[in-house]
């Protein structure tokens, strides 16, 4: 099971994916004003490639945006591609 924790401050934040307590991936973002954040980087540890870690982090980011009335700007190529493939996530763009 993938556990995703969010770390957030006034300027930056991240979603960290953990599997069995080990870091499996990290998605970082930067705030662009009060109501938008830019996903700028996604990385998945090599041992966890292909296990949906990146998508789980993106889903957490989308849930956070929806719950808080925020919009997402996906600059990271992974996030951008995942939004293009998943129409159900695009409401936060």
């Amino acid at each position: 099971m993938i556990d995703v924790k969010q770390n957030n401050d006034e300027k930056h934040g991240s979603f960290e994916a953990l599997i069995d307590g080990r870091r499996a991936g990290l998605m970082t973002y930067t705030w662009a004003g009060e109501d938008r954040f830019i996903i700028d980087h996604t990385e998945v540890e090599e041992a966890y490639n292909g296990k949906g870690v990146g998508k789980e982090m993106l889903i957490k980011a989308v849930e956070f945006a929806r719950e808080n009335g925020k919009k997402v700007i996906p600059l990271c190529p992974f996030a951008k591609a995942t939004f293009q493939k998943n129409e159900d996530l695009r409401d936060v763009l």
Side-chain angles (χ1 to χ4, degrees):
M1 185 172 139
I2 302 170
D3 184 30
V4 180
K5 298 195 181 322
Q6 182 181 14
N7 304 299
N8 185 35
D9 66 32
E10 290 176 25
K11 293 186 179 172
H12 304 316
S14 65
F15 293 92
E16 182 179 21
L18 302 166
I19 297 177
D20 298 327
R22 290 195 185 95
R23 183 159 138 180
L26 185 71
M27 176 177 283
T28 60
Y29 62 89
T30 304
W31 284 101
E34 289 185 17
D35 58 350
R36 294 180 309 188
F37 61 94
I38 300 165
I39 296 176
D40 45 30
H41 181 71
T42 304
E43 64 185 56
V44 174
E45 300 298 325
E46 206 172 316
Y48 301 104
N49 282 347
K51 297 192 184 329
V53 172
K55 188 169 181 189
E56 281 299 313
M57 292 186 293
L58 186 69
I59 287 169
K60 278 290 188 198
V62 168
E63 288 172 359
F64 170 73
R66 286 176 179 154
E67 288 166 10
N68 294 281
K70 309 296 183 196
K71 292 292 181 186
V72 176
I73 303 167
L75 286 189
C76 151
F78 170 81
K80 201 174 205 171
T82 304
F83 274 112
Q84 286 172 344
K85 289 181 207 159
N86 297 275
E87 200 173 321
D88 58 321
L89 302 177
R90 292 189 207 147
D91 59 295
V92 298
L93 293 178

